[in-house]
Amino acid sequence: MTEFIQTLLISCIPAVITGVVSYLVARKNSSTQIKLLETQNKHDIDRLMEQHKVDIDSLTQQHQQELEKLELEHKHKLELAKIESENALNQNLINNVVGEAMKMPEVQAEFAKGIRSASNKRGGKR
């Protein structure tokens, strides 16, 4: 029986030592692989964060430009509306002045006189 135990120990001790060494080597390799992956992931995350910042800056700049464009368009529309209202006011004023002037008998007489002289000149040329 001692021979059996001896044989068993002779075969088991190297197997146990080999198993422990294999376990330690595998653990070291896996921890190295994990650290490598962590480093790669950290670099990827940093790169993505930088890209995200660049994208946000680009969107902010684009938004600012759109706001400036809209403000300019609004300003131009206001200026056009102001000019149109001034033109309409001036036209109404001119119409009122001409209308009031045409009501005056002196202006009507001069106007009729001008028409008669123009028609006489025209009639004379025929």
Side-chain angles (χ1 to χ4, degrees), residues 27-44:
R27 184 173 171 134
K28 182 181 177 186
N29 284 341
S30 65
S31 69
T32 304
Q33 293 274 336
I34 289 172
K35 287 179 184 176
L36 180 66
L37 286 174
E38 285 176 348
T39 305
Q40 287 176 349
N41 287 341
K42 183 178 183 239
H43 291 304
D44 288 344

Side-chain angles (χ1 to χ4, degrees), residues 93-108:
L93 182 61
I94 290 170
N95 288 342
N96 287 342
V97 168
V98 170
E100 288 297 319
M102 289 302 289
K103 290 179 184 177
M104 294 180 181
E106 298 87 16
V107 174
Q108 287 177 355

Side-chain angles (χ1 to χ4, degrees), residues 10-125:
I10 290 175
S11 63
C12 285
I13 290 177
V16 169
I17 292 173
T18 304
V20 169
V21 169
S22 295
Y23 171 76
L24 293 175
V25 168
R27 184 173 171 134
K28 182 181 177 186
N29 284 341
S30 65
S31 69
T32 304
Q33 293 274 336
I34 289 172
K35 287 179 184 176
L36 180 66
L37 286 174
E38 285 176 348
T39 305
Q40 287 176 349
N41 287 341
K42 183 178 183 239
H43 291 304
D44 288 344
I45 289 173
D46 290 343
R47 183 183 51 82
L48 288 173
M49 290 300 289
E50 288 299 318
Q51 184 63 41
H52 181 67
K53 287 178 185 176
V54 168
D55 291 345
I56 287 176
D57 290 343
S58 173
L59 286 173
T60 303
Q61 200 171 33
Q62 182 181 4
H63 179 69
Q64 186 66 29
Q65 289 173 349
E66 288 176 8
L67 277 177
E68 289 173 2
K69 179 183 172 188
L70 289 174
E71 286 175 359
L72 282 175
E73 287 177 359
H74 182 68
K75 183 179 175 183
H76 289 296
K77 284 181 182 179
L78 286 176
E79 288 175 1
L80 283 175
K82 181 181 176 185
I83 290 170
E84 287 175 0
S85 67
E86 287 175 357
N87 286 342
L89 183 64
N90 289 339
Q91 189 64 37
N92 286 339
L93 182 61
I94 290 170
N95 288 342
N96 287 342
V97 168
V98 170
E100 288 297 319
M102 289 302 289
K103 290 179 184 177
M104 294 180 181
E106 298 87 16
V107 174
Q108 287 177 355
E110 286 295 319
F111 189 69
K113 187 175 163 184
I115 291 175
R116 273 186 244 121
S117 72
S119 66
N120 287 340
K121 286 180 186 177
R122 216 172 174 212
K125 288 184 179 180

